[in-house]
Amino acid sequence: MEQTKPKKTVSRTKAVIACVLCLVIGGGAALAGVWACIGTDGLALLQADRLIREKFVGEYDATAHREATLEAMVDSLGDRWSYYLTPEEYENVRDTRKNAYVGIGVTVSREGAENGLLILAVTPGGPAEEAGLAAGEIIRSVDGQGVTQANQDAIMDAIKGTEGSTVQLEVEGTDGARRTVEVERRTVRGVTAQWTMLEGDVGLITIQNFYEGTADLVSQGVEELTGQGARALVLDVRNNPGGYVTELTQILDLLLPEGDIFVSRTKDGSESVYTSDADCVDLPLAVLVNGESYSAAEFLAAQLRESAGAVVAGTRTSGKGYSQMLYRLADGSAIGLSTARYYTGGGVSLIGTGLDPDPSVALTQEAEEKLLVGQLPYEEDLQLQAAIRALNLDS
């Protein structure tokens, strides 16, 4: 899960910059002050960088050198949840978390299509849908450049562009036939939660992530489904990467009765406790999870089971229990650092263990692939059907 960057980080960064400026202007007289700010390790990094720039006789890419150094620093932590982002990656991540971007309105995967990009989802009402693209199809080329394993990232960037411009795609349909499609790039707002009423008056809410606007959509879905007479709610967070603590806790507050719903502890021992009020959804609840349910997704299931006895169906979740802060650096890059451990309201951590569903139900590989692109019929979704049976609505 991601949390909002604290303002005190800015002052710390400014202090370090001020110390380095003092060293440049004041020479050796400022050394003690710099030492106090960044320490021996920091000085060693500055010295190494200066020596490479001034003494190294070979050719090298200064930008690549800097990025590799920063990435290695984060990788050396041995924490799978901390990460480094180049300036370009940082801008992409920031746009993604707004759930709004300039593009054509498709979610694609690097996996599942050799020399192509598999379309996992098409944003309703977006340019791609208007142009006839559909989940399950494969993008084979962009503006005449074929997709390969080596250029997938570059091709994905090429699909984006200036609002109002167009991009030409060669698309392979699910029947194997290829066609060329021209799509206009526009501002697209991602639909991160969708809902429908299933047979037996069971409301299903599928949550794609927990970034900006998701809590409002889930609230709208709950209101509409309960207004239609839903007897129970099933929340599907399979293949959900997680998102913001604020979006998670708003959803938990909506669904749960009064009580503690999220606890966070930082390195210095500081603790933040999030609570829900007495207003709640008084319906049986179930959550669908799998091994790709991360962070806020698996936590939602854990807290709903703990506080409301929700049914959790599917396969074991990822086992993430650290929240990250994303810090932007002076060159426009950023590092995401695990800065807190989080626990359920009852003090349970999911670190390394994840959440064990009951009922535990696995899908076939074919069904998993259909689920990923939104083409698994509800009646063939064994995890969904197991969750509905476990709710015992007709008993």
Side-chain angles (χ1 to χ4, degrees):
M1 270 175 278
E2 301 286 340
Q3 300 201 40
T4 305
K5 180 179 177 180
K7 293 183 178 179
K8 64 181 180 181
T9 303
V10 176
S11 61
R12 170 66 175 170
T13 303
K14 288 180 177 177
V16 172
I17 293 172
C19 286
V20 174
L21 288 175
C22 285
L23 177 61
V24 173
I25 295 170
L31 183 58
V34 175
W35 198 303
C37 282
I38 62 176
T40 305
D41 293 341
L43 284 175
L45 289 173
L46 290 174
Q47 287 176 319
D49 181 65
R50 179 180 176 182
L51 286 168
I52 290 170
R53 285 187 288 108
E54 295 183 356
K55 304 295 185 181
F56 179 59
V57 71
E59 298 290 334
Y60 80 104
D61 184 326
T63 299
H65 166 71
R66 182 183 67 252
E67 291 177 351
T69 300
L70 292 169
E71 185 170 15
M73 289 177 68
V74 177
D75 287 347
S76 70
L77 299 175
D79 175 28
R80 63 178 292 199
W81 311 113
S82 295
Y83 52 91
Y84 168 75
L85 299 174
T86 65
E88 295 77 16
E89 290 169 340
Y90 170 74
E91 292 299 330
N92 289 338
V93 166
R94 189 178 66 169
D95 290 344
T96 298
R97 292 177 180 181
K98 291 177 181 177
N99 280 324
Y101 60 95
V102 174
I104 64 172
V106 292
T107 302
V108 298
S109 172
R110 299 175 181 84
E111 307 296 330
E114 185 177 357
N115 295 327
L117 295 171
L118 176 65
I119 299 176
L120 298 179
V122 176
T123 303
E129 184 183 64
E130 293 174 2
L133 273 65
E137 295 185 318
I138 299 171
I139 298 173
R140 291 297 184 184
S141 72
V142 175
D143 287 335
Q145 183 177 7
V147 183
T148 67
Q149 296 298 113
N151 71 2
Q152 284 179 327
D153 288 341
I155 288 289
M156 290 170 69
D157 288 338
I159 294 174
K160 302 175 184 177
T162 306
E163 187 164 13
S165 63
T166 60
V167 60
Q168 196 170 75
L169 308 176
E170 182 185 23
V171 180
E172 181 179 314
T174 54
D175 60 356
R178 296 195 182 191
R179 67 190 189 281
T180 299
V181 181
E182 187 171 83
V183 189
E184 181 184 10
R185 300 179 176 100
R186 298 203 303 263
T187 297
V188 178
R189 177 160 291 280
V191 179
T192 60
Q194 297 174 289
W195 51 91
T196 188
M197 187 73 83
L198 303 178
E199 185 178 351
D201 294 328
V202 175
L204 173 65
I205 302 177
T206 302
I207 305 175
Q208 302 295 336
N209 65 49
F210 287 80
Y211 291 118
E212 286 187 25
T214 300
D216 289 340
L217 283 172
V218 172
S219 178
Q220 181 183 342
V222 169
E223 183 177 359
E224 290 188 12
L225 290 170
T226 53
Q228 295 170 23
R231 300 164 58 206
L233 295 178
V234 178
L235 290 89
D236 186 354
V237 292
R238 293 172 295 184
N239 303 311
N240 183 315
Y244 292 141
V245 172
T246 49
E247 300 291 325
L248 167 68
T249 52
Q250 286 180 54
I251 295 171
L252 289 172
D253 183 25
L254 169 72
L255 297 172
L256 293 176
E258 186 173 5
D260 295 344
I261 55 174
F262 186 89
V263 179
S264 176
R265 298 191 185 112
T266 60
K267 183 176 182 177
D268 64 5
S270 299
E271 183 174 283
S272 298
V273 180
Y274 296 75
T275 60
S276 59
D277 58 27
D279 293 334
C280 64
V281 174
D282 189 19
L283 289 175
L285 301 172
V287 191
L288 304 179
V289 298
N290 63 10
E292 300 301 316
S293 298
Y294 286 88
S295 190
E298 64 178 342
F299 190 93
L300 178 86
Q303 193 61 59
L304 290 179
R305 182 159 74 179
E306 180 178 286
S307 296
V311 170
V312 177
T315 55
R316 179 180 289 191
T317 60
S318 61
K320 183 174 184 286
Y322 298 96
S323 59
Q324 288 70 46
M325 295 290 296
L326 186 58
Y327 299 92
R328 191 175 187 186
L329 305 179
D331 66 347
S333 64
I335 57 174
L337 291 179
S338 295
T339 57
R341 293 179 175 86
Y342 56 81
Y343 306 81
T344 67
V348 176
S349 170
L350 301 178
I351 295 175
T353 61
L355 191 65
D356 281 321
D358 182 14
S360 177
V361 181
L363 298 179
T364 65
Q365 182 177 346
E366 181 182 3
E368 288 278 10
E369 292 171 354
K370 289 182 179 179
L371 174 68
L372 197 59
V373 297
Q375 295 181 348
L376 181 62
Y378 299 132
E379 61 274 13
E380 296 179 17
D381 188 339
L382 300 183
Q383 293 171 335
L384 171 62
Q385 297 304 322
I388 294 173
R389 287 195 300 273
L391 287 168
N392 292 318
L393 298 178
D394 296 324
S395 61

